[in-house]
Amino acid sequence: MAARCTDVLRHYVLLSFKVFSRRKFFTAISIFGISFTLMVLMVATAMLDHAFGPGKPELKGERILVLGNARVSGPHLIINGRPGYALLDRYARNLPGAERISFATGDPDTSVPVFVNDRKIEPVLKKTDADFWQVFDFEFVEGRPFNQAEFEGGRRVAVINRSTRGQLFGDGPALGRQVELAGARFDVIGVVEDVSLFRVEPFSDIWVPYTTEASTAYRTQLLGNWTAIALARDQAGKEQLHDEFNSRMTRAELPEGANLIVAPFETRFEWLARSGPFSDSNDPESQAWRFALLLVIVAALFTVIPIVNLVNLNVSRILERSSEIGVRKSFGAPALTLVGQFVVENVLLTLIGGLLGLALSSVTLRAINASTLIPYSQFTVNLRVFGYALLLSLLFGFISGVYPAWLMSRLHPVDALKGAMK
Amino acid sequence: MIRLENIEKVYRTERIETVALSNLSLEVAEGDFVSVMGPSGCGKSTLLNIIGLLDTPTAGAVHLNGSAVTRYRDRELAAVRNREIGFVFQTFHLVNDLTVLDNVQIPLLYRRMANRERSRQALAAIERVGLSARANHFPSQLSGGQQQRVAIARAIVGRPRIVLADEPTGNLDSQMGDDIMALLKDLNQRERTTVVMVTHDQQKAEQTHRIVRLFDGRQVH
């Protein structure tokens, strides 16, 4: 039975290639449409994978929770933003279930002017603590991160990334050299590999201890520009610290005029959902499913038009081949066998389109990486993305092939031989 | 071998009802060579399609080798067509994307058979119709007569006991038509294959064992 199936499948594959080579125009049009659609989907998949998949410096990503949104509301007040240092300091320390908790300034567009040989550059500056380097696994090119003593002592030390080292000091080493930030000189003690902007929490050009801040005004603000990053001990620890913090928030001191604060510890995906389309939610529970649903709907809307086009193209192609269907039915092909033949043919076509789409997406991702559109982006088509791409191609081929094949299977042999469809 | 009992075939649309066959009964014995004649639109092709299980009668029964096949479902009908019947069409109906060899192999694809054996049987059928040199050609590279020979090779490759030919010489000149007729006669005489052939050509019909004449969907004598 298995041998017969293999034999029939082999025939379908051979026949498919014969059909493709004999109908070059149709094949070219189909492959172009499929590969372009899949390329866009694969680029989007690679970007999502780059933002949310495991990778340096987020090797412990599945244990990391972020507190990056705070929504304060009252009868005449709604403020959406990031939490302030005071909120984190009062309520986000010593959370059960957490292995480490780090505080850092949040917005990736907080740049600082630095002058190099009369030339101004504006690297992004992140102020953080010593725990930051334990939560993330940065790849050090030179030196080391700042430690607890340096942090507590307010030592002016800085870690910079490879690109900033190039801009500041050329090709030479950076250790022992100084960089002037907002009028103060910092000793460079470490150089790390560039981190993509898509890795929002670890991303920066320069990292310094926040204890070097001249003013202490930030220490009293409930809302501001801060992020807490918690490394949970395990999955249970994640839930524990999340629940405990929410419980603390119900007793939190609120700004004047406010009666509710929503500021949960969440995964980056949940954080993105809350900072983007669902920022008006007063529900501290995860908005991830709503965001995921939104992404699926957008992807489906984007995919549905090419699929409908492909279905139409396939229906025309099948009608054009109705005589062949009639002949096959006359000589004993059961309807299901013919459905199999056309689905295999279509899946093969989409796989070819998928491979081409994969090559095109690889080229597109390289072009995005080479441009400065997204700082330090390292989008790649890795095995995981390739797996998604393969799945997408198969799904695309299957969906766009099944309906025309089903229509064809209902074709009456006599009508099919006459070249007409009922 | 083939027995039709009170066959009626009516085509209905919203406005009109067309009776293609009416109260038609017919028996064809094994090894018989029957031609069906009649004016255009009298139901000849409909009759052939019903015998070949490509179409179902509105009323009446079709018996094949003693079995009432009218009750069969799609999969069973497909299996009977594959095993018992070979078709030859007026317009050949070869698959243009496939070579002669691949076209002839089609009926064998739906049987349990090794690939090599399938090729061997197809090549034997092609040799029988005298087209061995053209096995790897595409239909568009052949003349009308050669295409009909390929169609005959396809019809006989599975060694069916019945061959149904719908005006097999209708699109050919007289010489090619004679060649095709000779092939069908040879098949009938040497292998006792039952042949039912629709034709307009009185000369060709006279070469068969008997003639069934139809007029307005009814059998006339």
Side-chain angles (χ1 to χ4, degrees), chain A residues 147-165:
Chain A
N147 57 35
Q148 191 63 23
E150 287 164 328
F151 168 72
E152 285 174 2
R155 285 278 311 277
R156 285 184 179 147
V157 287
V159 174
I160 63 175
N161 67 5
R162 186 193 277 272
S163 293
T164 307
R165 178 181 72 174

Side-chain angles (χ1 to χ4, degrees), chain A residues 138-187:
Chain A
F138 281 87
E139 208 174 337
F140 275 82
V141 183
E142 282 186 66
R144 58 174 178 82
F146 45 83
N147 57 35
Q148 191 63 23
E150 287 164 328
F151 168 72
E152 285 174 2
R155 285 278 311 277
R156 285 184 179 147
V157 287
V159 174
I160 63 175
N161 67 5
R162 186 193 277 272
S163 293
T164 307
R165 178 181 72 174
Q167 287 179 307
L168 293 175
F169 310 117
D171 294 333
L175 292 190
R177 303 186 73 165
Q178 289 191 317
V179 57
E180 190 174 321
L181 304 169
R185 289 189 166 275
F186 285 74
D187 293 323

Side-chain angles (χ1 to χ4, degrees), chain A residues 1 4 7-8 10-12 14-15 18-19 22-23 321 323-324 326-338 341 412-414 416-418, chain B residues 49 54-56 74-75 78-79 81-82 85-87 89 93-99 102 106-107 109-115 118 138 140 154-155:
Chain A
M1 187 67 185
R4 184 166 179 258
D7 209 24
V8 169
R10 191 169 151 268
H11 173 77
Y12 288 171
L14 283 175
L15 180 64
K18 279 178 184 168
V19 171
R22 295 277 287 177
R23 291 163 195 251
R321 291 168 66 186
S323 162
E324 177 191 338
V327 167
R328 287 182 185 276
K329 285 196 163 190
S330 303
F331 284 100
L336 263 179
T337 310
L338 285 175
Q341 179 192 328
H412 199 280
V414 175
L417 285 168
K418 285 179 191 162
Chain B
N49 289 337
L54 296 178
D55 208 348
T56 47
D74 177 72
R75 182 167 276 276
R81 283 200 296 266
N82 181 255
I85 306 168
F87 295 91
F89 305 103
H93 283 308
L94 299 177
V95 182
N96 287 327
D97 294 321
L98 302 180
T99 60
D102 290 332
I106 285 176
L109 288 173
Y110 309 109
R111 293 184 183 186
R112 281 170 202 269
M113 188 178 285
N115 213 24
R118 187 181 299 133
F138 285 95
S140 57
R154 181 179 61 188

Side-chain angles (χ1 to χ4, degrees), chain B:
Chain B
M1 168 141 242
I2 303 166
R3 185 156 59 87
L4 306 185
E5 270 177 20
N6 306 318
I7 293 294
E8 192 169 295
K9 181 68 185 177
V10 182
Y11 293 104
R12 291 190 178 93
T13 63
E14 283 176 11
R15 290 186 181 177
I16 53 165
E17 201 171 76
T18 311
V19 179
L21 292 174
S22 178
N23 198 28
L24 192 142
S25 295
L26 178 71
E27 272 196 51
V28 180
E30 185 170 3
D32 213 349
F33 193 160
V34 178
S35 53
V36 182
M37 292 195 77
S40 293
C42 71
K44 302 185 296 291
S45 294
T46 305
L47 173 65
L48 212 63
N49 289 337
I50 287 174
I51 295 173
L53 315 180
L54 296 178
D55 208 348
T56 47
T58 312
V62 180
H63 295 266
L64 213 63
N65 300 323
S67 304
V69 290
T70 355
R71 293 185 199 145
Y72 284 13
R73 285 180 298 184
D74 177 72
R75 182 167 276 276
E76 293 162 318
L77 287 174
V80 174
R81 283 200 296 266
N82 181 255
R83 215 172 40 238
E84 303 285 346
I85 306 168
F87 295 91
V88 180
F89 305 103
Q90 183 181 1
T91 49
F92 324 133
H93 283 308
L94 299 177
V95 182
N96 287 327
D97 294 321
L98 302 180
T99 60
V100 166
L101 179 61
D102 290 332
N103 264 290
V104 173
Q105 285 190 53
I106 285 176
L108 305 181
L109 288 173
Y110 309 109
R111 293 184 183 186
R112 281 170 202 269
M113 188 178 285
N115 213 24
R116 191 172 291 178
E117 178 60 16
R118 187 181 299 133
S119 283
R120 194 192 63 74
Q121 290 191 18
L123 284 169
I126 293 167
E127 191 181 355
R128 175 141 191 215
V129 297
L131 284 175
S132 293
R134 304 277 184 167
N136 292 313
H137 284 62
F138 285 95
S140 57
Q141 296 168 310
L142 305 179
S143 70
Q146 287 171 326
Q147 289 189 48
Q148 195 60 298
R149 282 164 183 261
V150 176
I152 290 175
R154 181 179 61 188
I156 63 172
V157 71
R159 296 183 174 273
R161 290 200 284 170
I162 303 164
V163 166
L164 303 176
D166 192 356
E167 300 195 44
T169 60
N171 276 12
L172 305 176
D173 64 33
S174 59
Q175 178 57 49
M176 287 180 179
D178 289 344
D179 291 348
I180 296 300
M181 200 58 206
L183 271 171
L184 291 174
K185 279 161 67 181
D186 182 59
L187 192 67
N188 172 253
Q189 283 161 10
R190 276 171 51 180
E191 294 181 21
R192 283 185 53 78
T193 304
T194 309
V195 181
V196 180
M197 177 181 77
V198 165
T199 183
H200 278 293
D201 187 329
Q202 181 68 34
Q203 265 191 329
K204 300 271 186 314
E206 281 168 3
Q207 296 176 46
T208 65
H209 299 169
R210 76 187 158 107
I211 301 173
V212 173
R213 294 184 190 277
L214 296 184
F215 188 80
D216 276 352
R218 291 171 188 275
Q219 191 174 353
V220 289
H221 301 279

